[in-house]
Amino acid sequence: MTFRHILVPLNGSDRDAVALETAFVLAPQFGAHVSALLVRPDTRAVMPIIGISLFPDVIADIANSAKQAADRAAGIARDTFSAIAARAGMTVVERPERRDTATTSFEEVEGFFFDCVSRAARFADLVAFGSLGEPTDYQLSAGFSDVLMAVGRPVLVSPKPLVRLPEKVVIGWDGRYAAARAVCMALPLLAQAKEVVAITARHPRRDLPNLEGLQGYLALSGIRVTESIVERGERSTGEALFDAAGNAGAELVVMGGYSRSPLREALLGGTTAYAVEEASLPVFLMH
C-alpha cells in the first residue's frame, strides 16, 4: 500500500501554499504524482437569489466582478504552484504519468468547488488541504466533508506544512470503525515513522477500547505501537487528544473522521470539528 496520486485542491488563498508544500514533501517518498486542481467559481454561485429581477447592467457588473476575482485567484494559485514546485524540485508534467521520480501537474476547472473536488478525489490516494479554520468558506468546508464522507477518501489537513515525513505519529484511538480505517489507510506513513503511540482519551461513560487488534495489525508491517491513556477532565475529547499529542512531540495525528454527522459536530462540537478548526498539528482523517 502506498500513495501514488495525491490531490491538492486550490482556490487562490493562503492555504494553497501549505497544502502544496506538504504534498511535495510526501510525493518523493512514495514516487507519487501531485495533481494541483484550481477550481474557478461557477458564476451562478455569485448571483444573488432574490425575489425581483435585476437590470441587465447590474447582472453584467456582478458577472464582471466575479470574473475579475476569479482571474486574480487563478493567477495567485498558478504563481504559488510554480514557485513551490520549483523550490521543491518537482518535475512538472501535463497529466499524471508513471515515472521514476515524483511529478506534479496543474489543472484549472470551473464549477462549484465541492463538486469538482469530489469528482477529482475519486481516483486519489490522498487529498491534501491546508488549514480549514472556521467554516466561513462554505465551498471549502463542503469540499472537505464530501471528500471525507461521500467519496470516502483519506484527507490530510495541515495547519502548517510538513517539512519531512513524520517521525512520531499519534493515533487517536477510540476503537471505532473510522479510527481503524484511518490506521489502515495511513499505513504508508505509519511504516515510515520511528515511533507510533495510540492515545485514548478516557470517556466517563465508555469502557476503554481494546488495543490488541490494532497492535496485531500493525505488527504485521513491523510497526510497534505503544498505548497512552489520558484523562479528559473538563476538556473535550479533541482537546485532550491534541494536548497529549502536542506534549508527546507528535508530528502527525491519525484519527477517524466524523463518527457523527458534520452538521451535528458543527453545532454541538466534536473531535473532527476540533481537529480541523483548532488543532495545530497535521491530521490524517478517514471516515
Side-chain angles (χ1 to χ4, degrees):
M1 182 185 298
T2 188
F3 302 127
R4 287 296 185 190
H5 186 200
I6 302 173
L7 175 67
V8 182
L10 307 178
N11 63 0
S13 71
D14 294 340
R15 301 180 180 97
D16 292 352
V18 174
L20 286 168
E21 288 178 21
T22 294
F24 291 159
V25 165
L26 296 178
Q29 309 299 326
F30 303 107
H33 177 83
V34 177
S35 291
L37 179 69
L38 170 67
V39 181
R40 293 177 66 97
D42 190 313
T43 54
R44 292 173 296 175
V46 300
M47 291 299 176
I49 302 175
I50 57 178
I52 60 174
S53 299
L54 296 176
F55 290 111
D57 288 349
V58 175
I59 294 175
D61 286 343
I62 294 173
N64 287 335
S65 295
K67 183 180 183 305
Q68 291 172 4
D71 288 343
R72 286 194 297 272
I76 292 171
R78 187 175 288 277
D79 290 345
T80 299
F81 167 80
S82 298
I84 296 177
R87 191 161 63 239
M90 293 290 292
T91 300
V92 180
V93 296
E94 290 189 8
R95 61 184 62 84
E97 58 184 58
R98 182 68 182 271
R99 291 198 181 189
D100 294 333
T101 58
T103 57
T104 186
S105 60
F106 183 96
E107 181 183 5
E108 184 176 325
V109 297
E110 182 177 21
F112 292 103
F113 185 88
F114 63 90
D115 183 49
C116 294
V117 170
S118 294
R119 280 190 277 112
R122 291 177 299 174
F123 299 108
D125 298 313
L126 181 66
V127 183
F129 287 91
S131 176
L132 300 180
E134 293 294 329
T136 53
D137 187 334
Y138 168 74
Q139 295 273 340
L140 185 66
S141 298
F144 161 76
S145 297
D146 271 13
V147 168
L148 190 62
M149 298 192 68
V151 187
R153 306 313 299 152
V155 172
L156 180 61
V157 179
S158 301
K160 56 185 178 181
L162 289 177
V163 296
R164 63 182 182 186
L165 279 182
E167 295 186 350
K168 184 164 186 176
V169 179
V170 158
I171 298 170
W173 185 245
D174 58 7
R176 296 183 177 182
Y177 291 122
R181 293 190 70 201
V183 169
C184 294
M185 298 305 294
L187 198 60
L189 293 172
L190 295 172
Q192 299 286 338
K194 294 181 178 179
E195 184 178 359
V196 178
V197 181
I199 294 180
T200 299
R202 191 189 302 274
H203 194 287
R205 295 188 298 277
R206 298 191 194 123
D207 294 333
L208 288 174
N210 191 297
L211 201 69
E212 186 176 334
L214 174 66
Q215 289 174 322
Y217 172 74
L218 292 178
L220 293 173
S221 298
I223 302 169
R224 179 177 178 270
V225 57
T226 57
E227 182 180 24
S228 176
I229 308 297
V230 299
E231 302 295 334
R232 284 179 43 175
E234 299 298 320
R235 300 172 296 176
S236 68
T237 298
E239 289 177 300
L241 170 62
F242 281 93
D243 284 350
N247 292 336
E251 297 171 83
L252 176 71
V253 174
V254 174
M255 57 179 278
Y258 287 135
S259 59
R260 303 183 295 183
S261 74
L263 177 60
R264 186 177 178 186
E265 288 221 1
L267 295 175
L268 303 179
T271 307
T272 308
Y274 183 89
V276 299
E277 294 173 16
E278 304 290 343
S280 59
L281 292 171
V283 187
F284 183 104
L285 296 132
M286 184 72 189
H287 180 60

